Amino acid sequence: MATIGNLFKQRKYPFIFVLSILLLTVVVFLLTTTAPITSVTYFQQQQQRQPPVLPPPQTAAVSLPSPANTTKNGGNGGEDSSDFETIEWEVCKVPMAVDYIPCLDNLLAIKQLTSRRHMEHRERHCPDPTPRCLVPLPDGYKLPVPWPKSRDMIWYDNVPHPKLVDYKKDQNWVQKSGDYFVFPGGGTQFKEGVTSYIEFVEKSLPKIEFGKHIRVVLDVGCGVASFGGYLLDKDVITMSFAPKDEHEAQIQFALERGIPATLAVIGTQKLTFPDDAYDMIHCARCRVHWDADGGKPLLELNRILRPGGFFVWSATPVYRNNERDRNIWKAMVALTESMCWKVVAKTVDASRIGLVIYQKPVSYSCYKQRKDNYPPLCERKQSLNSSWYVPLGNCISRLPVGGKSNLYNWPTPWPQRLSSKPPSLSTEPDAEEAFNEDTKHWSALVFDVYQEGLAINWSSVRNVMDMNSSYGGFAAAFIDRPVWVMNVVPIDAQDTLSIIFDRGLIGIYHDWCESLNTYPRTYDLLHSSFLFTKLTQRCDIRYVAAEMDRILRPGGYALVQDTTEMINKLIPILRSLHWSLNLYQDHFLVGQKGFWRPTAANIRN
């Protein structure tokens, strides 16, 4: 019997020969035009689970070549790397590189500190120059467990840090179960579980009204952020924060769970939040010495707490009677009274856990009646909400004023608060119109283009960051979707972060020429609208791209809206990271991060 090879050589059967040629042509055509499918298949092989399938774009798009298969940059053969600008990358060569946070892991700078009394070693010490390297993936890394299941369980391999399991084994913070970490909803102060604890807080002071009067909460020393995670059920958005490594990987656990969180410490510098931001601040055994250094830590909370807002303190000095706790309580009483904080509730629950709730004043009357003018009132503000690399103050921040009565107004109850005029909005005639137009613009753009017209699988998106948020319109447009947005106001942009908090949203200040205080692989989507043009005047955007790659999860997206000129500058940089790219209408660039990491074998000396 003639072999297939003989049939081709002898060409005795023209029909079979022609059919074979046609089949071969079709196969070659499919292999050279379905790069996104190849990428998705790669995710399947890596994760051994079904990844999100990218929907076809509904608007005209240009699929840009990806270097994912080039031998020059470490792939498996394919298109010629001369088709794009070559940018060499290497893996970060630092201890614990998989969890590398450049501005918090600068060991050289930390070793040179003359003091650690005030947590200086947990503050930002950014390396110079900014690192331009890529963090490796943990062994066995998988696409994250989707929300809402992720609130209760995550892959062990994604955050392989079991120390917290042993350290807090009697408190039900986190447990290891097979391939997962599971979160039972316990905590140091949550003896009956976090749901019961939240009910206890509400019963202690009913006028808190979670999800209506209280919308934006700060959880200090949050553990694995179960308090904030369960408050989401009540339409409350909580910014959970803690220092890196006080309890190993607690913030990484929180973000992997899909709960808003950031790395921060009350040390020697102000927190990167605006004045009068939070409706409520919570501390459950957060291990902060509030009266230290003349009361600076508590004065910082006073700065960022909204007038009329509440501080919930659940700690042993509130309900235990040993000498140490009595002395702490006395110091706390003296400090809070000098700051004119009023005790509005103090109680103990059935499990013998107690809390006290303080309320910040809304007027200057108490300050004027103090016998001693200490702590003094701060000088009148010279600039709006400056808190980036600013030392902690030892004075009481001044109250905001608003309206004809010159008294501060609490924001409209949630959810009307999202679209109502923010109390901190400028009183200039065109300010409200500009705010309303911004809201309409983002609502239309998100609905008509972002959600419907781009190749983004929104069902796989939970943690979102808006890299330059303006009024927070992008985040507001997603309020009905199961996502949360970290709104970032760049330090060289118009200061609108107070407005964002007034709307019932959360955010931080940041300089994108430096690294962000978050673990690698913590966001599903990064959004940027006309950010990079200004950045190019201050720093190399290749470093910014490396930072985006660091904080974005494999399979996650970067959505960039910018000028055609800037998009053209970004494309070769993002291609060199082996991201798959699509361009829409010349102004919307969508990049999807893959699992590629450079290896020693494909880095040129």
Side-chain angles (χ1 to χ4, degrees), residues 48 130 185 221-222 308:
Q48 297 181 347
T130 302
C222 61

Side-chain angles (χ1 to χ4, degrees), residues 129-166:
T130 302
R132 208 204 77 185
C133 60
L134 307 183
V135 296
L137 298 177
D139 292 338
Y141 182 86
K142 303 173 178 65
L143 291 176
V145 175
W147 180 266
K149 187 178 179 181
S150 64
R151 187 182 72 173
D152 301 319
M153 60 192 303
I154 63 174
W155 292 111
Y156 172 83
D157 286 340
N158 288 13
V159 192
H161 298 296
K163 288 184 180 179
L164 200 59
V165 176
D166 296 329

Side-chain angles (χ1 to χ4, degrees), residues 220-254:
V220 183
C222 61
V224 293
S226 291
F227 181 71
Y230 280 80
L231 276 177
L232 289 167
D233 293 340
K234 293 183 173 290
D235 259 351
V236 172
I237 185 79
T238 303
M239 179 80 82
S240 299
F241 88 85
K244 184 182 181 184
D245 292 337
E246 284 301 291
H247 295 311
E248 188 180 43
Q250 54 188 338
I251 294 300
Q252 195 173 19
F253 278 126

Side-chain angles (χ1 to χ4, degrees), residues 147 150 232 253-260 462-463 484 553:
W147 180 266
S150 64
L232 289 167
F253 278 126
L255 289 163
E256 185 73 15
R257 295 174 72 185
I259 299 171
R462 170 62 184 170
N463 300 352
W484 67 272
R553 290 168 169 172

